Amino acid sequence: MAAMMDLINELWFLPRNLVSDGYDQALARLAREVPMTIHEYPTGEPCWTWKVPEKWTCDEGFLDSMDGRRIVDVKDHPLHVVSYSLPFEGVVSREELLPHLHTHKTLPDAIPFVFKYYERDWGLSLPQTVKSSLTDEQYRVVIRTRFEPGTLKVGEVLIPGRSSQCFMLAAHLCHPALANDDMSGVAVGIQVAKALLAQKDLHFTYRLLILPETIGSVAYLSHHEDLIPNMVGGLFLEIMGNDQPFALQHSFQPESQPDRCFGSAIADISPTAQQAAYRRVIDNDERQFNAPGVRVPMLSLSRVIPEKSHPNWPYVGYHSSHDTPDLLNEERLREALDAVLGLLRAWENNQYVVNLFKGEIFCSGHNIWIDHQTNPAGHRRLFEIMERLDGSRTVADIAVELDISFQAAWEVVSLLVERGLADLSRKPHPTSPVRD
Ligand SMILES: [Zn+2]
């Protein structure tokens, strides 16, 4: 298995803009890792209220002093020219130039990631330290960019399960020369897909989408409306290789089964993980899936500084030239891979639990007795779980109700299933008598 870091090292520095050769090159490389269908949407194609943008290419981009000294050059770093910058060439006064120069808010020596996909303007990005040194009256700007018809590409890895009900995984690939956001989510996603493809007994069908942020999700969803009713949940992946603890961001429907399942499963998978409500950690493609008319409960998993007020939140280097593979390591990526697979394992197990017994189980007679003298918590938990098995609650419902982990509830449920006292069902199967 190729290390995730190898893939990141190979692809991170490409100028992977929304619709661009750099993006296409990265996606084509990923398609060699896993069986992938590449959907193409041409420039101008309507996607609900959106339209596919033009392909953008930056051939040249630099800033010179009037005596010919090169101050910044896109050849040194793809971030030096604003993504989707208009072309511009000319001699400008310092006053004219400054509003077109972008710097990072908190990292004076970093080049910021700036994009102007829909608000047309020209611009260069550079370290604040360089900008502060610009004291001449005039400068020469050369930005040679091209806007032309192209195709937006979405890579889809299909992992068939027994059911046509589908769980969506997504990661974006459109952040030029940035590693943690977004190559780390892509690398983990590809590895998750490989692991799922190797499993032969999946209930759900899984789809991993690799796409340009926002417009890629809208393009895919608007062209696969027939699939939307089958999408039962989702998880967006990004910012996974740094040292910060995991953050599980819930969906727009916090009472949904994926929310209950992942929310109760994460603590055992990663005890330091934080949880937050929808749009309280970070905004990405999960917005399109959670949106009106789609309403797929899609959560997200990332690694961020827990205090949102931290000046460098979500992590030092975010959206800047400091976001290099040096921030990441294979061990953290591996933990993220294990976390995602652990959540999906819980998801596969999350079924309605149907009692095959009436009354309270004669536990000692069925050899499931937990002594209340030696293990009072275990004894209480066994009874609390048992009394909730009425075919109308899933494992996750029981875990959330009792404020215990998914795994703790699952352990008891699987013991009862093993003893022939309970059954698992994908649909509710209420067993309580109906009274008028
Ligand atoms: Zn981003």
Side-chain angles (χ1 to χ4, degrees):
M1 179 168 80
M4 289 178 269
M5 276 312 295
D6 292 347
L7 202 55
I8 293 170
N9 282 323
E10 188 181 337
L11 301 179
W12 79 283
F13 204 66
L14 285 170
R16 297 174 281 107
N17 295 284
L18 284 189
V19 180
S20 67
D21 289 338
Y23 176 94
D24 292 355
Q25 196 183 326
L27 191 65
R29 171 64 187 86
L30 296 171
R32 302 211 313 263
E33 289 289 310
V34 278
M36 186 184 282
T37 303
I38 297 182
H39 302 280
E40 302 198 25
Y41 306 101
T43 296
E45 172 85 354
C47 302
W48 289 335
T49 62
W50 297 67
K51 254 186 350 199
V52 173
E54 292 154 298
K55 174 182 168 186
W56 183 78
T57 310
C58 179
D59 295 314
E60 251 182 312
F62 54 83
L63 177 69
D64 278 359
S65 65
M66 293 310 288
D67 58 11
R69 191 172 54 85
R70 181 81 17 122
I71 299 157
V72 296
D73 194 329
V74 79
K75 279 195 194 108
D76 300 326
H77 204 292
L79 291 181
H80 274 312
V81 171
V82 165
S83 186
Y84 276 75
S85 166
L86 293 173
F88 181 83
E89 241 171 282
V91 171
V92 291
S93 70
R94 189 171 170 275
E95 281 62 43
E96 275 175 84
L97 174 66
L98 289 184
H100 293 278
L101 298 185
H102 304 273
T103 57
H104 198 276
K105 279 198 289 291
T106 55
L107 305 170
D109 58 341
I111 311 161
F113 170 39
V114 181
F115 45 88
K116 294 193 182 286
Y117 302 139
Y118 304 103
E119 162 211 348
R120 294 284 156 102
D121 195 6
W122 65 269
L124 294 168
S125 299
L126 72 181
Q128 179 60 48
T129 48
V130 177
K131 186 180 173 188
S132 310
S133 73
L134 301 178
T135 50
D136 296 354
E137 280 307 301
Q138 288 189 317
Y139 291 91
R140 184 163 168 255
V141 176
V142 171
I143 299 176
R144 294 193 178 118
T145 55
R146 283 180 282 139
F147 290 80
E148 55 200 335
T151 62
L152 178 153
K153 296 180 183 63
V154 174
E156 178 182 31
V157 185
L158 175 70
I159 302 126
R162 291 187 295 275
S163 168
S164 59
Q165 286 197 324
C166 177
F167 189 91
M168 306 300 293
L169 296 160
H172 59 62
L173 181 67
C174 60
H175 284 22
L178 300 177
N180 197 25
D181 172 20
D182 53 8
M183 266 312 298
S184 70
V186 171
V188 170
I190 293 286
Q191 215 62 297
V192 168
K194 282 185 188 175
L196 293 177
L197 282 164
Q199 292 177 25
K200 296 287 169 245
D201 57 344
L202 293 170
H203 173 75
F204 292 99
T205 290
Y206 293 82
R207 285 184 163 83
L208 166 67
L209 301 179
I210 306 288
L211 31 72
E213 189 172 0
T214 307
I215 181 64
S217 291
V218 179
Y220 178 88
L221 287 167
S222 62
H223 288 75
H224 291 87
E225 288 202 31
D226 55 317
L227 287 181
I228 295 174
N230 276 332
M231 295 179 185
V232 289
L235 185 64
F236 181 84
L237 310 173
E238 177 187 296
I239 311 182
M240 313 208 93
N242 48 317
D243 281 331
Q244 271 68 40
F246 288 114
L248 179 71
Q249 177 180 271
H250 281 265
S251 82
F252 184 75
Q253 301 169 75
E255 294 305 323
S256 79
Q257 286 299 321
D259 285 79
R260 289 174 157 241
C261 179
F262 293 177
S264 58
I266 190 77
D268 274 358
I269 290 168
S270 176
T272 56
Q274 319 267 317
Q275 296 193 45
Y278 182 57
R279 299 192 72 165
R280 289 296 179 272
V281 181
I282 201 154
D283 282 354
N284 280 294
D285 290 273
E286 74 288 336
R287 294 195 336 268
Q288 308 313 319
F289 287 83
N290 281 292
V294 187
R295 285 289 190 259
V296 176
M298 184 182 272
L299 294 88
S300 78
L301 189 68
S302 46
R303 290 177 176 276
V304 301
I305 296 172
E307 305 78 35
K308 211 169 174 178
S309 56
H310 192 285
N312 287 311
W313 188 91
Y315 59 94
V316 180
Y318 176 68
H319 276 199
S320 84
S321 55
H322 286 197
D323 187 346
T324 71
D326 288 346
L327 293 186
L328 320 178
N329 68 69
E330 191 70 26
E331 196 189 330
R332 294 285 173 264
L333 294 165
R334 164 67 56 175
E335 286 167 5
L337 169 66
D338 291 344
V340 176
L341 291 175
L343 292 173
L344 297 183
R345 204 172 308 121
W347 175 244
E348 284 280 317
N349 286 338
N350 184 37
Q351 301 191 55
Y352 289 88
V353 194
V354 187
N355 52 314
L356 301 175
F357 58 90
K358 287 178 183 168
E360 216 172 58
I361 299 173
F362 175 36
C363 286
S364 46
H366 284 86
N367 199 22
I368 47 175
W369 183 248
I370 298 175
D371 190 82
H372 64 97
Q373 304 280 350
T374 54
N375 185 357
H379 174 85
R380 217 190 57 235
R381 179 173 295 173
L382 173 65
F383 276 81
E384 284 172 338
I385 292 173
M386 259 182 342
E387 65 196 0
R388 281 170 173 76
L389 309 189
D390 58 8
S392 66
R393 290 172 171 87
T394 61
V395 181
D397 291 334
I398 296 167
V400 169
E401 260 183 57
L402 295 175
D403 198 20
I404 59 175
S405 75
F406 183 92
Q407 291 82 343
W410 175 246
E411 246 171 62
V412 173
V413 166
S414 38
L415 176 70
L416 297 176
V417 171
E418 213 176 276
R419 296 279 194 273
L421 292 162
D423 236 344
L424 297 169
S425 166
R426 292 285 165 190
K427 291 203 167 75
H429 195 303
T431 58
S432 308
V434 182
R435 295 192 178 88
D436 300 324

